[in-house]
Amino acid sequence: MSWAALGSAGIAMAQEATEDEASAEIVVVGSQIKGAKINEALPVTVVSTDEIRNSAAVSGDELFRSIPQFGDVQFNSQYLPGSSNGARGDIGSLDLRSLGIGNTLVLLNGRRVVAHPTSQANDQLVPVLSYNTNAIPVNGLERLEVLRDGAAAIYGADAVAGVVNTVLKTDYQGAELSLQYGGAEGTGLREFNGNGVIGTNFAENRGNITLFGSYDHGTGLESTEQYFTASSDKRDLFDGTRFEGATSLDGRSTTTPFANLRTYGNRAVIYNRTALTNASGQFHLQPTSSTGCVATVGNDRCIQNGAMATAGADRDLRYDTQAQGVSIMPRLNRINLFMTGHYDLSDDVSFFTEAGFYRSKTKAQQSPVATLSSIPVYVPASNYWNPLGQAVFANGTANPNRLAGTNAPTSGLPLTINNYLFEDFGPMNITVTNQQFRLLAGLRGEYKGFNWESAVSYSEAWARDVSDNISRTKLQEYLARSTPDAYNIFGTSVNSQSTIDAMREDLTRYTKSTLATYDFRVSKADLFTLPGGNVGFAAGIEARRETQLDDRDPRIDGTITYTDPLTGAAAGDFVNSALNSDTSGHREVFGAYAEFAVPVISPEMEIPLVQAFNVQLAGRYEHYSDFGDVAVPKVAAAWDVVRGIRFRGSWAKSFRAPNLEQTNATVVTRANTRTDWIMCEADELAGRITNFSQCSRAQITSARRSGNPDLKPERAKTLSFGVVLEPPLPEGVGNLTFTADWWRVRQTGLVGIFGEGNALILDYLLRKEGSSNPNVIRATPTASDDEAFAGTGLTPAGEVLYVLDQYTNLQPQTVKGLDFNLTYRTPETGIGRFNLAVNASHFLKYYQEPSPGIAALLAAQDAGDIDAAVNISGGRSLLQLDRKPKWRGSASLTWTLNNVTVGAFAQYTGKVYDTSLIDSDGDYWAVKATTTANLYAQYRFTQGSLDGTSVRLGVRNLFDKAPPLSSSGYQGQLYSPLRRYWYLNISHKF
């Protein structure tokens, strides 16, 4: 589920940390000084237990999607990469301010948590790591604290956009059980959640132990269940728009069960005086009902010369993946357990501990395994079904499937498979298991007025991604057979299940990350006294060790290799996976920090227009074993003009350390759909298309990226100013709070790459000028390529095999925005109690300064040397592009009268532009702004046998809105694919 599936008003009711909260004997995120009031200077949002419960969120992903200050969710269960190279399964991510994955520090009870071990490419196409929000025990949260401010000076690396602190229940007494069941209309999706909490004091109330756990089960969602995901061809969805009929909307795969082949050595073949292949030996299979058949080979299959065309009748041969019923949301089982405990050893010293366990298993289906152009597979001349194979097999039997009347030699011709989809293997089944645990033990106490605390912790996360695949070695063995059990890619017979099973192999990727920490902290709310009041102080040391392991399947990491039977070269053994080395790394970090809370002016000083003025000063030093030292400062201040009017501001430096994969990876091979723009240029010059928006030269392009041990940390400067208005209202009217904050984050040295898409654009530009990009590795042009470029004046370009790239520190980006929060709470009245909340986030600027290479491309486009329809990534304003709307907001209204509660919740996501869909003028498709609404009613029994029981009936996406249309059907990082969703929740407090 996702934000559109949220059930009530709760999260919009996230409150600014008030003066009462900040002065309570708790540490609110943003300061390490226990009991200090400096939080008044900081933009901290606190979400309480009641608000979390009212949200009906049963996962961390649902919880965070409802808070407007959090951006798109790039790691999510709806994102199902075509290979295990990306994070899959039960996964959610955090992206505060949309500054990017990894720029938000996540704490659990004030201490770091281990990152999910599987990386995923970010907008800069580099692997990033995120904490898995679904590992948060939502039902065990006491409160959620969100600091919307840079805080590396206090917490260290990664606190660039801010900090999320999840605070777990402690000192719970009693027990509570909750059961929830729901489903989405018009689909087979059904979900169940059960969770409970139990706690008790012991040893004459000197200790407490609290246990909580939850179990989730979901049946999953298939592509065929809703119209916007029912087909990979989205053209019909855009009828009546300016993109009506745009071929770029046809997302059906050009890799199909109709094999594209080429004779080895590019030997041309004639059949009965007709060209069976083109001059480069290329031909493809197709149904006999299609036009252009040259020779029939049986079972309603025939051969047409040349490669399969990207337009015309051959377009109908494309493979519609989504029409086959692939997973949009996987089937899910999840368990989440946690324990907190403490015991007072004396009046001054307490022992405390935490233990957590999370495990999930998801199952999904995707398109069948397909070949990659960069990984050749051959059909030997000995293959029983090869129509150009040996006339007589080695065992002396005649080849019954060889075409008569060709000029193929009697020894036969081996064939290279350019692309082929193994449909008879069935859909690719993917099972992902995620597991995480955490152990912590510590002591805290008081000594001569100082609060002190020390703890050690160890946490570990691992993921095992298992998917169907095909061994190239075994495939080659069965392709070489001269008997009917040989594997047949020509469609002239049905391959037996035993043949198929003999070639199957599971592809397993195992990733693991660990985090071991030690810390010692001291704080004192009254270190010494100034005229304005007591100066608070905190200091501490921290040490941690981080490790990451990416253990690739032996058939990928080079342990088990495939030997090319024609060239003798060694390669990875899976049909659709290039060699990817295992990656492992570790680092040790030592940090020290100090913080002061300075009351410069107090109300007792009676200074006009300055009721109070408080300052926070903080600094931190960290030493990294792999790249050296970092030191960062922070200054924050709060000025109370009069009671109810406060201005606040902060300035800080922050940093994000390069992750262990970015620094330690040797070769990382990734495949993405990219457009070969020089082919578009040839098509336009030859008159096959009239403009670039009609170009359909997208293909799967492999990129070979390498890590960089010389990477430096990404650095940032954050600046914010805000106002807090809490006007004193007449007694009995209620409480009103309004906050507005302006903020700016400027980051430098972002880790990124040039990108294979940009590399192909540069290659297109250079080939127009008579040269080429040496980082784009192409095959030798075939006769088909020569024909495509004939008469254009361009030198023919062969098929792209792969693109070379490396991670590096790139240029800066600047992001500015505004946050607004309005809350109004009434006291108890004769008609009940009302809570109103409005929370909004507005981007003013999101500008990424282009690197020199990107800047050169942009200049060439401005000069007209690159077509306007070409999308150059990595520079210019990113505001409103793809997943960065200008506005996001939520509003809620909750009414409670006696035992009845009714809540309404609405969420707004602003318009964005889909850069994957661009017209000839360079204008993008606009993904419309959308508002969804949720509603629930709850009754709480207080008498009889049902005393302590609550029943809630809710509906999510009340008006049954489909997500706004995009070129991919919908944007899963911003929106849920679910329509109207009903749920029933029953809970009982014992």
Side-chain angles (χ1 to χ4, degrees):
M1 293 184 292
S2 63
W3 70 264
L6 285 171
S8 79
I11 301 308
M13 298 186 63
Q15 304 296 312
E16 287 286 324
T18 65
E19 184 172 337
D20 290 341
E21 290 169 326
S23 60
E25 286 301 311
I26 60 174
V27 178
V28 177
V29 69
S31 174
Q32 298 279 24
I33 304 173
K34 188 175 182 180
K37 293 185 178 182
I38 193 58
N39 295 88
E40 301 166 14
L42 305 173
V44 177
T45 299
V46 178
V47 184
S48 71
T49 305
D50 289 340
E51 293 157 358
I52 294 171
R53 182 181 296 113
N54 288 343
S55 74
V58 295
S59 71
D61 185 42
E62 295 169 9
L63 187 62
F64 287 104
R65 279 182 182 253
S66 66
I67 302 176
Q69 283 74 27
F70 286 92
D72 59 298
V73 184
Q74 293 189 41
F75 288 48
N76 68 80
S77 60
Q78 300 167 47
Y79 175 76
L80 292 172
S83 73
S84 61
N85 287 333
R88 303 193 285 196
D90 182 42
I91 180 74
S93 61
L94 288 172
D95 190 0
L96 185 60
R97 308 280 199 211
S98 291
L99 291 181
I101 301 297
N103 282 297
T104 305
L105 178 62
V106 181
L107 307 175
L108 181 61
N109 289 340
R111 288 180 169 85
R112 284 179 178 264
V113 292
V114 67
H116 181 71
T118 309
S119 65
Q120 188 166 299
N122 64 2
D123 289 341
Q124 283 76 45
L125 298 178
V126 298
V128 292
L129 299 171
S130 171
Y131 176 71
N132 182 7
T133 57
N134 287 337
I136 294 174
V138 173
N139 67 299
L141 290 179
E142 180 69 30
R143 65 184 182 276
L144 180 71
E145 303 169 351
V146 182
L147 173 63
R148 309 185 311 274
D149 198 20
I154 298 174
Y155 298 106
D158 308 332
V160 176
V163 180
V164 172
N165 186 29
T166 54
V167 183
L168 299 178
K169 288 185 175 74
T170 57
D171 292 324
Y172 189 88
Q173 294 191 67
E176 185 174 353
L177 177 66
S178 174
L179 303 175
Q180 182 168 305
Y181 182 80
E185 289 184 8
T187 73
L189 176 75
R190 299 295 181 266
E191 295 176 313
F192 169 80
N193 168 262
N195 65 76
V197 182
I198 185 170
T200 185
N201 290 340
F202 62 91
E204 299 179 339
N205 295 327
R206 294 177 63 185
N208 176 275
I209 185 169
T210 300
L211 304 170
F212 34 87
S214 64
Y215 169 76
D216 297 278
H217 172 74
T219 59
L221 182 70
E222 289 194 356
S223 57
T224 53
E225 295 186 77
Q226 298 184 111
Y227 73 89
F228 50 88
T229 58
S231 173
S232 303
D233 187 354
K234 310 297 182 186
R235 288 177 294 179
D236 290 347
L237 301 180
F238 287 80
D239 285 349
T241 74
R242 74 180 192 278
F243 288 98
E244 181 175 350
T247 55
S248 59
L249 289 167
D250 186 358
R252 293 176 299 170
S253 175
T254 55
T255 301
T256 78
F258 300 101
N260 265 290
L261 302 159
R262 184 177 69 248
T263 58
Y264 187 73
N266 299 337
R267 180 167 178 172
V269 178
I270 303 298
Y271 170 71
N272 292 336
R273 300 183 179 180
T274 302
L276 185 69
T277 72
N278 62 16
S280 295
Q282 291 176 297
F283 66 98
H284 68 273
L285 277 299
Q286 64 181 30
T288 54
S289 57
S290 295
T291 60
C293 288
V294 177
T296 299
V297 291
N299 197 27
D300 295 325
R301 294 290 177 97
C302 70
I303 293 175
Q304 182 183 12
N305 64 14
M308 190 178 293
T310 58
D314 282 354
R315 177 173 289 277
D316 296 331
L317 302 182
R318 292 187 173 201
Y319 189 77
D320 195 338
T321 299
Q322 290 187 310
Q324 308 307 312
V326 296
S327 298
I328 298 298
M329 296 175 65
R331 297 183 295 278
L332 166 70
N333 286 288
R334 177 199 301 137
I335 187 171
N336 220 325
L337 307 171
F338 219 91
M339 180 273 291
T340 63
H342 73 83
Y343 178 74
D344 296 336
L345 300 174
S346 68
D347 291 341
D348 297 323
V349 179
S350 295
F351 168 80
F352 61 95
T353 185
E354 300 172 8
F357 177 81
Y358 153 86
R359 183 181 175 91
S360 70
K361 192 170 187 176
T362 60
K363 294 184 177 181
Q365 288 188 336
Q366 288 184 248
S367 179
V369 175
T371 62
L372 292 178
S373 58
S374 57
I375 304 177
V377 178
Y378 305 102
V379 181
S382 61
N383 180 270
Y384 182 80
W385 307 101
N386 186 346
L388 301 179
Q390 296 173 342
V392 178
F393 294 127
N395 60 10
T397 61
N399 184 347
N401 298 297
R402 178 182 164 100
L403 276 175
T406 73
N407 64 340
T410 57
S411 59
L413 291 173
L415 307 174
T416 301
I417 302 175
N418 287 346
N419 56 61
Y420 177 69
L421 183 85
F422 295 86
E423 185 181 35
D424 52 358
F425 278 72
M428 186 191 302
N429 295 291
I430 301 162
T431 301
V432 181
T433 305
N434 290 325
Q435 184 168 301
Q436 181 175 313
F437 74 85
R438 169 185 170 102
L439 298 172
L440 180 143
L443 297 172
R444 64 167 62 100
E446 184 177 348
Y447 179 74
K448 294 186 178 181
F450 283 86
N451 291 298
W452 62 269
E453 184 173 307
S454 182
V456 293
S457 74
Y458 178 79
S459 50
E460 177 179 298
W462 60 259
R464 179 175 283 108
D465 186 313
V466 182
S467 57
D468 296 334
N469 217 296
I470 302 171
S471 165
R472 292 171 71 188
T473 300
K474 294 180 179 178
L475 173 63
Q476 200 66 61
E477 174 191 337
Y478 274 81
L479 285 171
R481 292 193 173 189
S482 303
T483 52
D485 63 342
Y487 186 66
N488 183 359
I489 69 164
F490 305 98
T492 52
S493 70
V494 177
N495 290 297
S496 70
Q497 193 62 45
S498 60
T499 295
I500 291 171
D501 291 342
M503 296 183 287
R504 287 186 189 274
E505 285 289 345
D506 283 343
L507 189 163
T508 301
R509 182 185 185 188
Y510 176 79
T511 56
K512 179 181 176 181
S513 56
T514 69
L515 175 66
T517 69
Y518 167 77
D519 62 71
F520 181 81
R521 310 170 180 178
V522 295
S523 73
K524 198 172 191 298
D526 54 353
L527 183 65
F528 58 88
T529 302
L530 294 176
N534 294 325
V535 174
F537 166 76
I541 58 172
E542 296 178 2
R544 67 181 187 269
R545 175 181 169 85
E546 304 169 353
T547 72
Q548 185 188 7
L549 168 68
D550 187 350
D551 185 5
R552 295 289 183 154
D553 193 285
R555 298 177 186 274
I556 288 179
D557 66 13
T559 303
I560 301 174
T561 59
Y562 162 79
T563 301
D564 189 305
L566 298 177
T567 67
D573 191 48
F574 282 124
V575 163
N576 66 348
S577 301
L579 284 173
N580 265 298
S581 302
D582 295 340
T583 300
S584 64
H586 67 87
R587 65 162 54 113
E588 290 74 41
V589 184
F590 171 80
Y593 69 90
E595 176 192 357
F596 292 90
V598 183
V600 180
I601 299 174
S602 67
E604 292 74 19
M605 299 173 71
E606 298 183 347
I607 297 177
L609 298 180
V610 187
Q611 184 184 39
F613 191 83
N614 297 301
V615 175
Q616 178 191 46
L617 302 172
R620 187 181 186 97
Y621 162 82
E622 288 197 344
H623 172 76
Y624 284 76
S625 61
D626 49 354
F627 64 78
D629 303 333
V630 181
V632 288
K634 179 172 185 176
V635 179
W639 167 29
D640 287 22
V641 182
V642 294
R643 182 188 175 195
I645 301 178
R646 175 184 301 140
F647 294 99
R648 63 190 180 191
S650 71
W651 172 88
K653 290 185 176 182
S654 299
F655 66 97
R656 180 175 76 168
N659 65 51
L660 293 171
E661 185 171 341
Q662 293 171 359
T663 57
N664 290 283
T666 51
V667 176
V668 178
T669 302
R670 295 292 184 266
N672 293 289
T673 300
R674 302 289 185 238
T675 298
D676 191 356
W677 296 105
I678 192 61
M679 300 300 296
C680 300
E681 178 75 5
D683 286 344
E684 185 176 46
L685 292 174
R688 291 184 288 271
I689 60 175
T690 58
N691 55 66
F692 269 37
S693 65
Q694 298 176 334
C695 182
S696 56
R697 292 290 190 169
Q699 61 184 29
I700 300 298
T701 302
S702 295
R704 295 184 181 178
R705 305 165 187 165
S706 57
N708 186 347
D710 297 324
L711 286 175
K712 302 300 181 183
E714 300 175 356
R715 295 181 178 269
K717 293 181 181 179
T718 61
L719 182 66
S720 68
F721 299 101
V723 60
V724 181
L725 303 178
E726 295 179 288
L729 300 179
E731 186 176 352
V733 174
N735 300 311
L736 174 68
T737 301
F738 173 78
T739 67
D741 291 279
W742 174 94
W743 55 271
R744 184 190 71 189
V745 180
R746 178 171 172 79
Q747 297 170 277
T748 57
L750 295 179
V751 177
I753 59 174
F754 190 60
E756 63 270 15
N758 290 327
L760 291 173
I761 296 171
L762 178 59
D763 192 58
Y764 148 63
L765 176 64
L766 293 177
R767 284 180 177 275
K768 286 176 61 178
E769 299 171 353
S771 61
S772 64
N773 181 359
N775 289 322
V776 176
I777 311 303
R778 294 179 178 270
T780 302
T782 65
S784 180
D785 297 325
D786 293 339
E787 182 180 348
F789 281 82
T792 65
L794 299 171
T795 301
E799 183 180 22
V800 177
L801 298 177
Y802 56 88
V803 178
L804 300 175
D805 221 331
Q806 185 184 38
Y807 307 135
T808 187
N809 291 101
L810 296 176
Q811 302 300 96
Q813 76 175 14
T814 301
V815 186
K816 298 179 183 178
L818 295 169
D819 288 335
F820 302 96
N821 185 278
L822 171 69
T823 61
Y824 176 64
R825 299 182 177 186
T826 71
E828 290 285 355
T829 69
I831 58 173
R833 185 177 70 246
F834 296 86
N835 289 336
L836 171 69
V838 179
N839 191 6
S841 175
H842 176 55
F843 276 128
L844 297 171
K845 180 179 183 180
Y846 202 120
Y847 185 80
Q848 188 176 99
E849 297 181 26
S851 64
I854 301 298
L857 293 181
L858 293 171
Q861 190 171 52
D862 291 339
D865 296 327
I866 294 177
D867 193 277
V870 175
N871 180 47
I872 302 170
S873 62
R876 292 185 175 177
S877 174
L878 303 179
L879 189 59
Q880 285 192 291
L881 297 186
D882 294 321
R883 305 177 304 275
K884 296 179 175 63
K886 279 188 179 180
W887 282 99
R888 298 183 69 160
S890 61
S892 70
L893 179 64
T894 305
W895 169 67
T896 303
L897 177 63
N898 298 325
N899 297 353
V900 176
T901 300
V902 177
F905 177 88
Q907 184 140 6
Y908 172 83
T909 302
K911 177 176 65 177
V912 295
Y913 293 97
D914 185 350
T915 60
S916 297
L917 190 54
I918 186 170
D919 62 22
S920 58
D921 296 324
D923 295 326
Y924 303 118
W925 168 258
V927 179
K928 295 179 180 179
T930 300
T931 301
T932 58
N934 308 328
L935 185 68
Y936 80 94
Q938 176 177 296
Y939 184 81
R940 177 171 52 87
F941 294 90
T942 55
Q943 295 179 347
S945 59
L946 293 178
D947 183 21
T949 300
S950 296
V951 178
R952 174 183 298 171
L953 178 64
V955 57
R956 304 161 178 167
N957 193 4
L958 176 64
F959 301 109
D960 195 25
K961 282 193 173 183
L965 186 63
S966 74
S967 60
S968 56
Y970 80 105
Q971 293 184 318
Q973 293 96 337
L974 286 179
Y975 296 101
S976 166
L978 300 183
R979 305 292 290 271
R980 186 184 291 122
Y981 182 103
W982 295 89
Y983 69 94
L984 177 67
N985 181 284
I986 300 175
S987 63
H988 183 79
K989 184 172 290 187
F990 298 91

